[in-house]
């Protein structure tokens, strides 16, 4: 019988260290051109909750950190690696700063996407309203309309079906 204090028994805090490829859990890349922040955010948060590290996406609690600063820093670095591994290089260049926490990185991404949301919605809506078939096939034309509607939906702008 193995005792609970055995070194072979995994601990809850060991769970995030078992992730070697988070793309299996977060199968798409956050991209400012796709405006897929809300979907990415939901999947990423779910991933962090499942692996017991969601507190790293919130403002740090000094009491919790003080309990085991070394472990907190190690897990925080892991969450930052997960974030960097699921965003585009251009976003990485936009948000990377030395000595920032996972929460700081998370918050920077939120600010980028929330600040651009209204301008992007207006741009996409304008493009949708002005689209013409031209010499493209009906399939290509309808696909373009559907893609624009999906992009607007990604930024929480509802497009009535009659408009596409």
């Amino acid at each position: 019988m193995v005792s609970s204090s055995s070194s072979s028994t995994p601990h809850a805090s060991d769970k995030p260290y078992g992730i070697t490829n988070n793309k299996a859990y977060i199968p798409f890349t956050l991209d400012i051109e796709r405006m897929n922040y809300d979907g990415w955010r939901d999947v990423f948060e779910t991933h962090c909750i499942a692996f017991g590290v969601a507190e790293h996406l919130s403002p740090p609690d000094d009491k919790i950190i003080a309990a085991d600063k070394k472990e907190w820093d190690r897990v925080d670095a892991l969450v930052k690696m997960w974030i960097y591994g699921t965003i585009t290089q251009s976003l990485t260049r936009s948000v990377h700063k030395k000595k920032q926490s996972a929460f700081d990185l998370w918050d920077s991404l939120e600010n980028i996407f929330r600040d651009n949301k209204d301008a992007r919605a207006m741009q996409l809506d304008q493009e949708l309203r002005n689209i013409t078939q031209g010499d493209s096939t009906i399939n290509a034309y309808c696909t373009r309309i559907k893609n624009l509607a999906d992009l607007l939906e990604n930024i929480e702008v509802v497009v009535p079906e009659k408009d596409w």
Side-chain angles (χ1 to χ4, degrees), residues 134-162:
D135 60 357
S136 62
T137 67
I138 191 71
N139 186 42
Y141 175 67
C142 290
T143 299
R144 181 69 185 136
I145 291 171
K146 173 77 167 92
N147 287 342
L148 289 168
D150 289 346
L151 286 169
L152 283 162
E153 187 178 316
N154 283 346
I155 54 176
E156 299 173 342
V157 174
V158 178
V159 179
E161 278 194 42
K162 67 179 179 129

Side-chain angles (χ1 to χ4, degrees), residues 10-17 51 53 71 75:
H11 299 286
S13 63
D14 295 336
K15 195 173 180 182
Y17 296 115
F51 286 92
V53 297
E71 179 64 12
V75 174

Side-chain angles (χ1 to χ4, degrees), residues 29-161:
T29 302
L30 178 61
D31 185 347
I32 195 129
E33 294 302 315
R34 291 187 192 149
M35 290 303 285
N36 58 351
Y37 176 72
D38 291 319
W40 175 87
R41 185 181 198 272
D42 182 55
V43 172
F44 197 93
E45 275 183 317
T46 301
H47 177 69
C48 288
I49 290 166
F51 286 92
V53 297
E55 67 273 10
H56 290 268
L57 303 180
S58 300
D61 181 336
D62 292 337
K63 287 183 249 176
I64 294 172
I65 295 171
D68 190 352
K69 175 133 176 60
K70 196 173 188 179
E71 179 64 12
W72 176 270
D73 289 344
R74 189 178 358 262
V75 174
D76 203 63
L78 183 64
V79 173
K80 283 175 32 179
M81 286 173 36
W82 290 350
I83 293 171
Y84 285 130
T86 59
I87 66 176
T88 60
Q89 288 182 0
S90 64
L91 280 173
T92 297
R93 286 189 298 273
S94 296
V95 296
H96 182 264
K97 294 178 188 152
K98 285 184 174 186
K99 307 265 185 200
Q100 70 180 342
S101 68
F103 168 72
D104 294 334
L105 178 55
W106 181 254
D107 194 47
S108 293
L109 287 167
E110 169 114 3
N111 290 333
I112 285 173
F113 280 88
R114 295 296 179 220
D115 289 347
N116 285 328
K117 198 175 199 177
D118 291 336
R120 183 73 168 147
M122 289 188 332
Q123 174 195 6
L124 291 169
D125 184 64
Q126 180 78 18
E127 193 174 335
L128 181 62
R129 293 183 188 285
N130 293 324
I131 195 168
T132 59
Q133 183 176 352
D135 60 357
S136 62
T137 67
I138 191 71
N139 186 42
Y141 175 67
C142 290
T143 299
R144 181 69 185 136
I145 291 171
K146 173 77 167 92
N147 287 342
L148 289 168
D150 289 346
L151 286 169
L152 283 162
E153 187 178 316
N154 283 346
I155 54 176
E156 299 173 342
V157 174
V158 178
V159 179
E161 278 194 42

